[in-house]
Structure formats: C-alpha cells, structure tokens
Amino acid sequence: MKSSAICREWLNSLPPTQGYLKEEQSIGRKLLSTKGMPSNKDEAWRLCNFNRLNSFLSLPIIINKKDFTSKLKYILPEKEKDRERIIINLTENPSKNINLPNGVEKLNDIEIKQNLGKIVKLMNIKNDISVGLNQASSSELLALKVKRNMIESLEIVIPSIEKKSISTRIFLLIEEGAKLDLLQVFLGNKNSAQNHLMEIKVESNVEMTHGLISMGEEKESSSICTLAVEQSKNSKYSLHSIHHGWNYARFEPRIIQNEGEASTIVKGLQVTKSKEQIATHSLIRFEGPNGKLDQLQKAVASEYSHCIFNGSIEVPKKAQKTEAAQLSRNLLLSKRARIDTKPELEIVADDVRCTHGATVSQLQDEELFYLLSRGIDNEHANSLLLKGYYDEILSHFPKSAGKWNVIEKLIKDIIK
Amino acid sequence: MNLSTPETILSIQDLHASVEDQQILYGVNLLIKEGEIHAIMGRNGSGKSTLSKVIAGHPAYKVLSGSINFKGTNILELAPEERARVGIFLGFQYPVEIPGVSNLEFLRVATNSRRKELLKNELDTFEFEDLVKERLKIVEMDPAFLERSVNEGFSGGEKKRNEILQMALLEPVISILDETDSGLDIDALRIVASGINKLSHPNSATILITHYQRLLNEITPDFVHIMADGKIIKTGNKELAIDLEKSGYDFIDKNTKDKELAK
C-alpha cells in the first residue's frame, strides 16, 4: 500500500475529535490529510526507513482500559524516595490519580490555554509530520508546573502496549527560579508504537536537568518523539538522552533560547543493533545574544543497523556573542552497519564562536590489546571499552537511572 | 628435581616475525631463567619493541618461524589474555589512555583474571581497595589516580608508575618492560626502578628494554644483549652496557663487522 493511502487509513481509524484537545486534533489531522506522509524528497526524512514509518501507522491507536491492564507486563524498578513517579496510564487523564510533590501542581484550564502549542508555534515546527502525528491522535494531556523557586525531582514513565500505538502529550512549565531534575523513561513492547510531543517552558533563572531513557527492548517497537523547549534568560537546561532497542525511532529535540543569555547542554547517545534505525534530528536556535550551547551526540551502530544524526544550530544576527560547540562522535562496529551524521550550522551573526565536528571510528585495537595484555578476556575487554564510550553521556544521568539497568543492556545487546 | 638448578622461564629460538608484511625479527635466540634480569639494548628500529609485542601476543605481529616457550609450553598458540594470565607481563612504552574506563575497575578486573589462574580467590571491591592501596606504596603513587580513567591525562611518569603498579598487582613470572625509563626524570626513574627491584624475586625474571645505561645503574642486569637488524648480535654483562654508553653503537657496528670479516 502507498504511504498516502496508509496515512488516510490511519486518519480514518482515529476516533472523532473530542475532549479538550479537540482543536489540536483537528489541526494535526488537517495537516496530515493535506500534506500526507513524507518521502525521501523531504530533506529531513531523506534517510528514513519508510517501511518502518508505515508500519508505525498500521497499529491501532484506540486504547481501552482492558488493553492497559492485561498487556502491561512491566516490572518497574522501585521508585526513589525523593522522586515522585508518574506512570502515564493511557486509559485516562494522566493528571488524575497522581501524587505530586509540594512544589509541583497541575496546570488549570486557563494556564493550559495560555501555553499549550505556543512553543510548537515559536519553534516553527507546527507543520512537522512528527508533530502532526501526535496532535492528530493525542487525546489526553499531562500539564504540570514546578512552582517558583521550588526544587523538585520527578520521574515520568511511559510504557507501551503490545500491538497498539499510543500518543502522549506533555506540557511542563518550570516557573522562575525553580529547579527540576526530571528522569523520563520510554519503554517499548512487542509490536508497539509510541508517539510523544512534549513542550517545556523554562522560565528565567531556572535550572533543569532532563534525563531521557528511551528503550525499545522488544522487536518491532517504534517511537517518534518531539521535544520542544523554550528557554528564557539566565536559565540552564541540560538534556541527556539514550535511545536503544527500537526497530525504528526518531527523536527531535528542538530548543530555543528565546532571549539568548542562557545555557544549553545536549548530550545524546543512540545505540543500534540488528536492523534497527534510530535517528536524532536536533535544532537549537538562539534568539538573543550571549547564548551558550554544548552539544555532543554519540552513536554506536552494530550488525546491520543504521544511526542518523542531523544537528542544526541557528544563530541569527541578533544572537551576537553566541558560543556553540557541537560534536558528533560515532562508533561503527560492523561493516554492514551505517552511520549518517550531518551538522548544519546557520550562522548570520558575525561575532560568535561556533565549532562543530564529526568523527566515525571503530573500537581502538590498541586499547583492546592493552586490556587483553592484562589478562582481561575479549568479551570483558570489549564491554569495558563500550562502557567507557557510553560514560560521557551516562555519567550525567541521575543516580536513580542506574535502577533501569541501562548500561548492562547497552553492553549485553552489543557484545554478543 | 634438583632445586638448586634455576628453571628456564622463557626460551626463544630462531624467532622470525613481521608486522604489516614487513619482516622485523630475523632469528632471535634468548634464554631466560628464574631470578635473572636481562637488559636488551639497541638502536631504534632494531626490533626490541617488536620482540616484546610478539612475546605478549599482539595480533598485528606475525610469527614467521621459530618458537617461544614459557616454562616449557609453546605460547604461540595462546591469545594475549591467556599469556598474561599465565604470568607474562608487558610494560608498555606508551601506555594506552582509555577514557571513561575507571583505573580502579580496570586494575581489579585484571588482577582477578590473574588470581583466577593462580587459583586464588577473586577480590571484591573492598578487598581489592585494600590490596591496591598497599601496592601503591611501591611506586609512591597518589590514590587519586585510581579514581581517574585509565592513563587519561596522566603525565609520562605517572603512566609508567601505573604500569609498575599493574606489575605489582599481577605478580607476573616474567616482566618485559619496554622503555619504562623513557620520559622519566631522575626522581621518577629512581622510584620506578626501586619498584621493579622490590618486585623481583627468585622465581621471576625481568627483561628491561632500554636505550640508556642510567636505568641499569639502578637495576643491575645479569645479562645485557644488544639487538641490531632484528637479532641479538652481542651478549655480555653490565660492562657491555657501560662500553656501549661510552662508545655508542658505532663500536658495536665495528665489532660486528670485524667479526664478519674474520669469518
């Protein structure tokens, strides 16, 4: 079947527009029905495995309560004492039945109306297919705010359901002077799909650390996620992400420093095996002077898999004295694996310091021999080297991330 | 068994080897017994480092002919990690930096691999920390180096101390120390040399590969071998190293030529 027909069929399968996201649903559906699905002529989708994208759309989106309870087989690690956990229960409003710490509140209807979709518009991504797919199908919203000057930790877990597709929409408002340490976990399931749209408004003097663990873990699981972050003056936002185990995954972090004068750290790791394809398309834009960015994207591709990184940085004239560094480091572990990496710097301002670079290498023979020559067996030596390679990203995750056994999984899956 | 006769640890016979299709070793013969310290000297490119890599089993080096026996067993069929576990230790001329791999964890995994071979119990994190702290004293090394990544950002001297620390932990039967003295100042050289001396015992042996006699002032070798063009061309005692330091390699070249002419 052609992708346009698949898209039409998917749109027809959706329930009628309803609820408080009704307007958003209409916008997304309109976009998809006029624009259709992307093709290899669209630059941003050029390297996409379209068969996988089509099978993403072939899973039913309608979820009923029975699906959630009977097919949720996850055993989640124990939650940390001082970090509240929110599991997005796909059958009801995610804001219901959750325990929130003192400094976190649900947004009221007026606040939602004032904020929802604003960052998507600001980032100029409202015509993105990933965004459209989510808008068209999301029926519930988790909208929270961390109150002014509060210091909080949160964990948001989003499981998948076998043979189903889920769509989640999240909005976070981090009010002036607050600090948030957020750990977000996406979990795959057999023959499942996830689609997320997350908007985060980071007000001035906010410090937010955001760890994202996205683990497909099962065959035929896919994930598409758009993360749109707006940073105000004097804010610090750091994102550390891991994507692994998805048959198909596409991650689109979009960050805007709305007034410049802010600091952004983006460190991502994508690890692929068998025939997986995992792509990260990042965009960081500076809308004022003195902004700082430190970006590192690492990829490890083994067997027949494919990793893609497309990193755009936009520095318009008003963003003088921007300091941005982007580095893409890649490890190719098999002759059949493939890595595509492309930095895209659009710099109009003339007084800036922007650097970028990309390397593709293999595990170093000399490093391996050094470990072997100390009696360490080949498998253990390789796992130490991989662990060392992951460390630059993983060491920045909150300690509680360790409970998700990410490192063990990332090593075991790659060294067979 | 006559206990008074020292056992042969390493016996190399007519060893020919190449790297990247270029032959480097042309018939090396070497016999090393328990308790002995051997120094191998020679110009750059004479094959000293190649010999050490071949003994350790570096996969890039191919043995074309000849044999290497370790305590009577042919080791050419053994993988590098197996050679290390039976007690062959190579101290690297340029110790490799491995970012992200904790030095402490690396040392513990390596030590336990060797202990397993020796049928000793494997050490857990706490037991190992006690052991490593004690061994650090041998090379006067700051425990802070344990928390860092393997050799990353270490100075030349710190890297060499870390090598000797590994030797202290692995308790090898034979240590081949490839230019352990290069890049060391006088004080660091003394510390490293004193570490090597402390670790020598009657059942082990050491091969020191060096350019300079100054290391041999600190560690007295039983034998000094001169390598040239991929083989050992002269063997003597400590005096040979002193002569070499005085007269340079030209003296050896002349000597060898004279010998060839006499033939």
Side-chain angles (χ1 to χ4, degrees):
Chain A
M1 210 191 308
K2 273 191 169 177
S3 59
S4 53
I6 292 170
C7 180
R8 241 188 342 267
E9 204 164 278
W10 182 76
L11 284 170
N12 291 335
S13 76
L14 298 173
T17 56
Q18 59 191 334
Y20 58 97
L21 289 178
K22 190 174 175 168
E23 203 178 312
E24 290 278 308
Q25 291 167 356
S26 307
I27 294 171
R29 291 175 196 195
K30 196 175 165 198
L31 172 78
L32 289 174
S33 57
T34 49
K35 211 174 167 188
M37 291 303 282
S39 72
N40 55 12
K41 284 176 189 147
D42 294 284
E43 185 55 31
W45 292 84
R46 194 169 57 87
L47 298 164
C48 168
N49 183 327
F50 290 99
N51 286 336
R52 307 269 173 88
L53 186 63
N54 289 339
S55 54
F56 186 94
L57 293 183
S58 67
L59 290 168
I61 193 98
I62 304 168
I63 309 291
N64 59 46
K65 198 155 196 159
K66 215 175 84 208
D67 288 326
F68 191 75
T69 48
S70 67
K71 289 175 181 166
L72 195 72
K73 49 156 202 172
Y74 298 98
I75 301 163
L76 304 180
E78 206 178 313
K79 118 182 158 52
E80 230 184 327
K81 254 191 206 154
D82 50 358
R83 187 189 294 273
E84 279 306 327
R85 174 180 286 168
I86 300 169
I87 300 174
I88 300 215
N89 177 340
L90 305 141
T91 56
E92 57 189 27
N93 185 330
S95 304
K96 278 183 197 163
N97 302 323
I98 52 170
N99 290 324
L100 292 174
N102 286 340
V104 182
E105 263 177 18
K106 293 170 196 171
L107 253 59
N108 64 35
D109 290 351
I110 298 167
E111 287 171 318
I112 292 175
K113 207 166 178 122
Q114 274 172 350
N115 287 294
L116 194 70
K118 281 270 166 64
I119 304 176
V120 166
K121 272 194 201 119
L122 189 68
M123 290 301 303
N124 204 15
I125 53 173
K126 60 184 195 311
N127 291 328
D128 278 19
I129 295 297
S130 314
V131 172
L133 284 170
N134 186 284
Q135 281 177 313
S137 54
S138 272
S139 53
E140 298 291 353
L141 169 75
L142 175 70
L144 302 173
K145 69 173 172 191
V146 179
K147 290 188 286 186
R148 199 178 260 251
N149 298 329
M150 298 302 281
I151 301 174
E152 296 296 347
S153 299
L154 269 183
E155 186 177 277
I156 300 177
V157 183
I158 308 182
S160 300
I161 296 170
E162 201 178 325
K163 294 182 191 156
K164 301 279 175 188
S165 176
I166 60 158
S167 266
T168 71
R169 181 91 190 250
I170 295 173
F171 181 86
L172 297 180
L173 170 65
I174 323 298
E175 289 186 335
E176 207 177 323
K179 282 185 184 173
L180 175 67
D181 182 16
L182 173 68
L183 178 65
Q184 210 175 354
V185 184
F186 300 156
L187 298 169
N189 202 332
K190 246 183 253 165
N191 198 13
S192 69
Q194 294 199 339
N195 175 348
H196 313 287
L197 175 56
M198 185 162 183
E199 288 169 279
I200 304 176
K201 188 171 163 60
V202 177
E203 292 191 341
S204 59
N205 297 307
V206 160
E207 265 186 65
M208 177 170 175
T209 50
H210 186 181
L212 171 62
I213 299 174
S214 171
M215 304 288 269
E217 299 197 26
E218 294 280 358
K219 277 183 183 168
E220 305 300 318
S221 59
S222 39
S223 164
I224 296 179
C225 174
T226 303
L227 167 67
V229 181
E230 179 194 351
Q231 278 187 263
S232 299
K233 241 183 206 177
N234 300 321
S235 66
K236 289 180 183 169
Y237 172 74
S238 68
L239 170 69
H240 289 89
S241 65
I242 305 163
H243 285 80
H244 172 64
W246 301 96
N247 194 34
Y248 174 75
R250 185 180 173 99
F251 179 46
E252 301 188 27
R254 316 288 195 188
I255 301 166
I256 185 167
Q257 286 194 8
N258 209 10
E259 306 156 285
E261 313 272 357
S263 146
T264 309
I265 296 173
V266 182
K267 303 216 167 173
L269 172 67
Q270 47 200 57
V271 180
T272 53
K273 61 178 192 321
S274 65
K275 291 182 178 174
E276 293 162 3
Q277 184 185 68
I278 296 183
T280 297
H281 295 257
S282 70
L283 168 63
I284 289 106
R285 196 160 85 216
F286 297 87
E287 288 288 348
N290 300 311
K292 285 192 173 60
L293 166 71
D294 175 11
Q295 184 175 23
L296 170 68
Q297 184 70 23
K298 280 190 157 185
V300 177
S302 68
E303 297 175 310
Y304 298 86
S305 63
H306 187 186
C307 277
I308 301 163
F309 171 61
N310 209 324
S312 299
I313 298 175
E314 293 178 8
V315 188
K317 186 126 195 166
K318 56 187 159 186
Q320 297 293 356
K321 306 244 181 244
T322 295
E323 281 181 31
Q326 183 195 68
L327 184 62
S328 154
R329 291 183 62 196
N330 306 282
L331 199 53
L332 202 52
L333 295 181
S334 136
K335 281 183 183 152
R336 303 290 184 94
R338 179 175 163 183
I339 290 176
D340 285 276
T341 179
K342 186 173 133 197
E344 259 181 293
L345 275 65
E346 196 184 301
I347 303 167
V348 182
D350 49 12
D351 184 14
V352 297
R353 213 160 63 202
C354 294
T355 59
H356 69 92
T359 61
V360 178
S361 61
Q362 294 165 331
L363 274 183
Q364 297 294 313
D365 290 343
E366 288 308 311
E367 292 181 358
L368 182 64
F369 176 67
Y370 190 70
L371 298 179
L372 296 175
S373 79
R374 298 307 183 235
I376 300 170
D377 66 53
N378 203 50
E379 192 181 317
H380 206 146
N382 274 301
S383 71
L384 274 176
L385 292 179
L386 267 182
K387 199 171 158 191
Y389 192 80
Y390 298 150
D391 185 72
E392 235 174 323
I393 312 288
L394 297 185
S395 59
H396 295 280
F397 272 80
K399 266 197 180 145
S400 59
K403 289 184 178 176
W404 295 88
N405 294 328
V406 177
I407 300 182
E408 294 78 358
K409 181 94 185 129
L410 289 179
I411 290 172
K412 200 182 88 208
D413 283 355
I414 298 304
I415 299 173
K416 288 182 180 164
Chain B
M1 195 174 138
N2 184 353
L3 290 174
S4 62
T5 315
E7 199 189 331
T8 298
I9 290 180
L10 194 71
S11 160
I12 299 174
Q13 282 178 339
D14 200 24
L15 186 70
H16 291 70
S18 67
V19 60
E20 289 169 357
D21 292 331
Q22 194 186 348
Q23 188 168 349
I24 309 283
L25 299 185
Y26 290 89
V28 175
N29 290 293
L30 190 61
L31 188 70
I32 294 173
K33 293 185 174 174
E34 280 181 339
E36 293 178 351
I37 295 175
H38 290 241
I40 300 178
M41 305 180 80
R43 282 200 175 99
N44 287 332
S46 59
K48 306 183 301 293
S49 286
T50 296
L51 177 62
S52 71
K53 294 272 170 62
V54 172
I55 299 170
H58 193 297
Y61 295 79
K62 300 270 172 294
V63 172
L64 305 170
S65 65
S67 66
I68 305 178
N69 284 299
F70 174 78
K71 290 189 153 187
T73 310
N74 174 16
I75 56 159
L76 290 180
E77 298 302 313
L78 298 184
E81 62 273 28
E82 292 169 319
R83 298 184 198 196
R85 277 183 227 147
V86 296
I88 298 172
F89 177 83
L90 171 62
F92 280 59
Q93 182 180 0
Y94 303 110
V96 181
E97 297 192 8
I98 313 182
V101 176
S102 123
N103 200 25
L104 185 67
E105 189 182 358
F106 156 68
L107 294 170
R108 190 172 70 86
V109 175
T111 304
N112 278 337
S113 307
R114 172 83 175 123
R115 288 178 71 90
K116 210 171 161 187
E117 179 78 22
L118 296 172
L119 305 174
K120 288 185 181 174
N121 67 315
E122 289 184 40
L123 303 175
D124 65 27
T125 325
F126 301 108
E127 292 167 327
F128 181 71
E129 275 187 31
D130 291 343
L131 176 72
V132 79
K133 278 190 182 141
E134 176 207 315
R135 301 290 154 94
L136 276 172
K137 291 178 199 153
I138 296 175
V139 281
E140 298 178 30
M141 203 168 144
D142 186 339
F145 286 100
L146 300 173
E147 304 304 325
R148 293 171 50 179
S149 295
V150 177
N151 294 322
E152 195 188 27
F154 288 25
S155 71
E158 287 152 1
K159 281 181 183 166
K160 295 299 170 77
R161 285 188 207 200
N162 204 29
E163 292 294 287
I164 305 304
L165 173 65
Q166 290 164 48
M167 179 177 159
L169 289 163
L170 297 175
E171 300 177 7
V173 179
I174 185 157
S175 306
I176 306 144
L177 305 174
D178 190 3
E179 296 200 24
T180 296
D181 52 344
S182 67
L184 297 186
D185 60 33
I186 299 285
D187 291 336
L189 179 77
R190 282 214 182 106
I191 292 166
V192 165
S194 126
I196 297 167
N197 280 327
K198 281 179 204 157
L199 296 170
S200 299
H201 59 85
N203 302 112
S204 67
T206 309
I207 301 175
L208 303 167
I209 293 174
T210 180
H211 275 291
Y212 306 105
Q213 201 255 331
R214 61 175 195 167
L215 177 68
L216 307 180
N217 285 337
E218 307 288 334
I219 308 169
T220 313
D222 301 296
F223 299 94
V224 175
H225 310 276
I226 311 291
M227 266 190 98
D229 301 328
K231 53 186 161 185
I232 290 170
I233 54 159
K234 198 170 173 63
T235 294
N237 56 17
K238 195 174 176 268
E239 299 304 314
L240 179 60
I242 296 169
D243 287 348
L244 192 68
E245 185 103 333
K246 268 190 213 150
S247 331
Y249 286 103
D250 290 343
F251 143 81
I252 301 295
D253 291 345
K254 193 174 166 291
N255 242 357
T256 328
K257 263 182 205 156
D258 289 347
K259 246 190 203 173
E260 274 169 13
L261 284 175
K263 274 183 200 169

